[in-house]
Amino acid sequence: SEVLRKADRSDRAAAKLVRDARSQIRGILRISGPHQDAARDLLSKLGVDVQQREATELPVVKNFEEALDEATQRLNTANAKSVDVETITDQLNAAGADEAAKVALNQQMQEIEQQIDTDQSQAIQLLQVGLEMFEPGGDRDALFDARVKLALLSLKQQSPWEAIAIGEFLARKNPASDPGLNAAAVTLAGFSDLLTTASPDEQVALTAMLEPMAIYLAQTWPASQEAAAATSATVQLALLGKDWEKAERLLAALPEDSESVATARRDLGMASYAAYITEQRKPQPEQELLESSRQRGLKQLQKFWPTVTKETLDAPAVDAANALTRLVLSLIHISEPTRRT
């Protein structure tokens, strides 16, 4: 984690390493024994001051409103301190070979990160307490705000599964609205964190979970950046696993006016064309695979090309046009040109 963060302070693989280590060490810390001091030391190295968190008592709140207010104060404080971390990061990058300055700045950063962790952890606890106190007939906007804050804090505390669960619930409960889209963005951020360091098998499982959310986003907010990102990620993951049927199924479920569909069609068409060329060059190509790759490439690229305009005619679009031309020529048994036209 330290090696990765030297290159990029916000590296997600480093964040996952820290998240996993914190989770496992906190688990053994709950068990009494002589190992607890060593566990606290390890957590301290990971930016968690256990003794400080245990010594800082939560305020007594009487109702949902008080809990939300106290949690919001801590969230705002943590956000302000995050700006300080960015400032120190810039100072570290400018420190050059001055090792003494780097040691002092790293110590200062560790102290601030521990304070941020304490603020965020307490904000989560306060929100959880407050949500249990929420009464029927209460302010629904405030309830939504508390839940979104809880999802965001879960994400910041390296708990993406909790963020995904809360974010997707809120997105589906608030369709076609800005608050719902904001909740969806938290959900996608949680998936992104998990996918960054997932194994191939884990990617398959995560793609299956992300697929219905991607379809929902494209159908509910077709012009949003979130829909485009979810669609692109899902199709790319399907293509990475050569799951052509899943990619086609996703595209078939998306509205044609979604801005993300054209790009996804181009990617699927080009991947199918590449599969067709690979199979064609074999000494004994499998005719069924050859034909299915050709037909799938033709279908997707023929739907993609009419969406290209003078403004969107870039290099990938030209590549798609060349691939479409070759596929059409292959149907009418004309030798493919040896160079692009």
Side-chain angles (χ1 to χ4, degrees), residues 75-152:
L75 177 57
N76 291 340
T77 301
N79 290 340
K81 290 175 182 174
S82 296
V83 176
D84 294 337
V85 170
E86 293 177 4
T87 301
I88 295 174
T89 301
D90 292 338
Q91 292 173 346
L92 277 170
N93 294 333
D98 190 341
E99 292 301 324
K102 287 183 178 180
V103 170
L105 287 169
N106 277 314
Q107 178 63 33
Q108 186 181 354
M109 181 179 291
Q110 186 176 24
E111 291 173 358
I112 294 174
E113 287 179 338
Q114 288 177 349
Q115 295 168 4
I116 291 173
D117 182 78
T118 299
D119 288 333
Q120 291 177 346
S121 298
Q122 288 199 347
I124 287 176
Q125 295 177 63
L126 286 162
L127 288 170
Q128 290 170 337
V129 170
L131 288 171
E132 292 178 0
M133 294 179 174
F134 186 80
E135 298 180 355
D139 187 341
R140 307 300 295 184
D141 289 339
L143 176 62
F144 181 91
D145 183 39
R147 286 170 167 166
V148 167
K149 282 184 168 67
L150 183 57
L152 283 169

Side-chain angles (χ1 to χ4, degrees), residues 5 28 39 64 90 167 174 177 185 202 210 220 250 262-263 281 284 291:
R5 282 182 166 174
I28 64 172
F64 167 79
D90 292 338
N174 297 270
S177 68
E202 290 171 338
L210 178 57
T220 310
L250 176 64
T263 301
R281 290 173 178 170
Q284 294 181 327
E291 186 60 22

Side-chain angles (χ1 to χ4, degrees), residues 29 37 40-41 44 48-56 118:
L29 189 59
D37 287 341
R40 288 189 179 92
D41 289 340
S44 178
V48 181
D49 191 336
V50 180
Q51 294 178 342
Q52 178 186 348
R53 288 175 60 175
E54 290 175 349
T56 306
T118 299

Side-chain angles (χ1 to χ4, degrees), residues 31-318:
I31 303 169
S32 299
H35 64 277
Q36 286 187 318
D37 287 341
R40 288 189 179 92
D41 289 340
L42 287 172
L43 276 179
S44 178
K45 292 179 181 179
L46 293 170
V48 181
D49 191 336
V50 180
Q51 294 178 342
Q52 178 186 348
R53 288 175 60 175
E54 290 175 349
T56 306
E57 294 184 1
L58 287 174
V60 177
V61 291
K62 300 177 182 178
N63 51 49
F64 167 79
E65 288 77 16
E66 286 187 10
L68 177 57
D69 182 61
E70 292 285 351
T72 301
Q73 290 181 35
R74 282 160 178 76
L75 177 57
N76 291 340
T77 301
N79 290 340
K81 290 175 182 174
S82 296
V83 176
D84 294 337
V85 170
E86 293 177 4
T87 301
I88 295 174
T89 301
D90 292 338
Q91 292 173 346
L92 277 170
N93 294 333
D98 190 341
E99 292 301 324
K102 287 183 178 180
V103 170
L105 287 169
N106 277 314
Q107 178 63 33
Q108 186 181 354
M109 181 179 291
Q110 186 176 24
E111 291 173 358
I112 294 174
E113 287 179 338
Q114 288 177 349
Q115 295 168 4
I116 291 173
D117 182 78
T118 299
D119 288 333
Q120 291 177 346
S121 298
Q122 288 199 347
I124 287 176
Q125 295 177 63
L126 286 162
L127 288 170
Q128 290 170 337
V129 170
L131 288 171
E132 292 178 0
M133 294 179 174
F134 186 80
E135 298 180 355
D139 187 341
R140 307 300 295 184
D141 289 339
L143 176 62
F144 181 91
D145 183 39
R147 286 170 167 166
V148 167
K149 282 184 168 67
L150 183 57
L152 283 169
L153 284 163
S154 297
L155 200 60
K156 291 175 182 293
Q157 284 280 294
Q158 290 84 45
S159 298
W161 286 114
E162 287 82 351
I164 289 170
I166 300 169
E168 184 168 358
F169 169 79
L170 294 175
R172 292 187 179 277
K173 284 290 186 181
N174 297 270
S177 68
D178 288 342
L181 184 58
N182 291 337
V186 177
T187 306
L188 295 182
F191 275 114
S192 179
D193 279 358
L194 292 170
L195 285 166
T196 299
T197 53
S199 67
D201 288 343
E202 290 171 338
Q203 284 187 348
V204 171
L206 287 167
T207 303
M209 294 179 63
L210 178 57
E211 182 180 345
M213 188 62 185
I215 293 172
Y216 174 70
L217 276 168
Q219 291 177 339
T220 310
W221 295 279
S224 68
Q225 293 181 346
E226 288 77 7
T231 301
S232 176
T234 310
V235 172
Q236 289 298 330
L237 287 167
L239 297 181
L240 196 63
K242 297 184 178 180
D243 193 339
W244 315 117
E245 291 184 359
K246 174 175 283 188
E248 286 187 298
R249 184 171 65 250
L250 176 64
L251 286 172
L254 297 174
E256 289 295 331
D257 60 347
S258 174
E259 294 181 4
S260 55
V261 169
T263 301
R265 288 198 187 286
R266 182 200 67 201
D267 292 344
L268 177 54
M270 293 301 292
S272 300
Y273 171 69
Y276 166 76
I277 293 298
T278 300
E279 192 64 28
Q280 185 190 51
R281 290 173 178 170
K282 291 181 179 178
Q284 294 181 327
E286 185 180 332
Q287 292 302 314
E288 184 177 347
L289 179 58
L290 191 70
E291 186 60 22
S292 64
S293 298
R294 174 164 50 190
Q295 292 300 328
R296 183 171 57 250
L298 274 168
K299 176 183 177 182
Q300 299 302 332
L301 291 176
Q302 284 173 337
K303 288 187 175 182
F304 163 73
W305 186 246
T307 67
V308 178
T309 65
K310 183 170 64 175
E311 290 75 21
T312 61
L313 184 60
D314 53 9
V318 173

